[in-house]
Every structure is written in structure tokens, then in C-alpha cells.
Amino acid sequence: MDLFLVFILLICVITDVKSRKIYNKVIYPALLMGFAYHLATGGWDALFHSFIGFLIGLGLLLIPYLMGGMGAGDVKLLALIGALKGGAFVFQSFLYIAVIGGIIALGIVLFRSGVLKSMIYFFYSLLKGVRNTAIISRGSLTATYPYGVAIAAGTALSLLFERMPGLW
């Protein structure tokens, strides 16, 4: 199951970076295969736990999606991770995803939009006794990035720590 998850994550990262989309034609068949796998290997109980993981993954990113902060593909990808690996795993992954996503977002805001340059100019002008009030343009804070990268990285980190618990 881990290898299957890594394969799906690689596909989603490639499509998200390339076209800014996580395709349903990848997510839905993987979801059906995950449910079928759990039903075949663990019966109805395993299918129920898989479905609970799906709901947890869906719920974790549903509010940011409804607020316009991310795409539906990101939500469905996290729900798929929950369906494949379970609720506890998807929640742990979500914590890593949030940290990695925040670091990526901060890096993009600081370097892509010229915010870092503006902040340096602001503090330099303060040292010289000049007050500069507008350091960040409105457009610089709306920079977006494919969140599938953060989802894949956080999930990979969870997989690594699951395999080697002594690392964390």
C-alpha cells in the first residue's frame, strides 16, 4: 500500500506542478482500489476504518477549500491518503503538511514577490530616519503554489517516520 501511495503522490505532484491540477482520473480509481484492497484484506471492518480515514482527510482541508484557500484536488488527495492509510496516519501527515506548506508559502512570499527586498528597504530607511509605510504590495500576498507538493512531502515524511520510528 505504501508503494502504491508513493506512486499516486508522484503522479499528483507532477500534474500539480505542470498544470496546477490534481486529476480526478487519478484520484477516483486509486480511491476505489484502496477501498477494494481494504475490503479484500480486512473485510468490512477494514473498509469502515478506510472510510473513516477518508472522512478525516476530507474534513481536514474542507474549510480551507470552502474559504477559497486551496483547490478541490488537494482536498481529494488528502482524503485519498486517509482512505489508503487510515485516520491516524492522515492526521499525522496533515501536521507535517501544514508545517511544510507554511515554509513553502513563506519562501514564495518572501522571494518571489519582492517582499524580502521591500522589508530590507523598510528597515534600512528606518535606520536612516525615513519612515516608509508601504512595504508590501497587495498582490504580493496572493502568490499561490501547487499545494500537492506540500501534501506529498508531508505524507512522505510520515511514511519515513512510520518505517523508521527512531528518527523522530
Side-chain angles (χ1 to χ4, degrees):
M1 189 54 65
D2 292 351
L3 190 59
F4 179 68
L5 177 59
V6 169
F7 179 69
I8 295 298
L9 288 173
L10 285 173
I11 292 171
C12 291
V13 164
I14 291 168
T15 61
D16 201 17
V17 168
K18 191 173 181 180
S19 63
R20 301 298 295 265
K21 291 187 183 291
I22 296 175
Y23 291 105
N24 291 338
K25 61 186 173 186
V26 174
I27 298 293
Y28 291 150
L31 186 61
L32 288 175
M33 288 174 63
F35 284 149
Y37 170 81
H38 286 295
L39 180 63
T41 59
W44 292 105
D45 204 34
L47 179 64
F48 176 74
H49 288 293
S50 177
F51 187 69
I52 294 298
F54 169 81
L55 291 177
I56 291 171
L58 184 71
L60 287 170
L61 291 183
L62 191 59
I63 291 174
Y65 165 71
L66 293 174
M67 294 177 66
M70 66 183 39
D74 300 323
V75 179
K76 289 181 273 188
L77 180 58
L78 195 63
L80 171 65
I81 294 166
L84 295 178
K85 294 291 288 178
F89 180 87
V90 76
F91 187 75
Q92 179 183 357
S93 296
F94 175 73
L95 298 176
Y96 296 130
I97 290 165
V99 170
I100 292 170
I103 291 169
I104 293 172
L106 182 63
I108 287 173
V109 167
L110 288 177
F111 295 107
R112 179 200 278 172
S113 312
V115 173
L116 185 62
K117 181 179 170 185
S118 298
M119 288 173 65
I120 292 170
Y121 176 73
F122 172 76
F123 288 118
Y124 180 75
S125 63
L126 280 178
L127 289 174
K128 295 296 181 183
V130 178
R131 181 154 188 214
N132 184 359
T133 56
I135 64 166
I136 300 175
S137 69
R138 217 174 236 289
S140 66
L141 296 178
T142 60
T144 62
Y145 69 95
Y147 201 68
V149 174
I151 292 172
T155 304
L157 204 55
S158 286
L159 285 170
L160 179 68
F161 290 148
E162 184 181 66
R163 293 278 181 187
M164 298 180 203
L167 289 177
W168 185 245

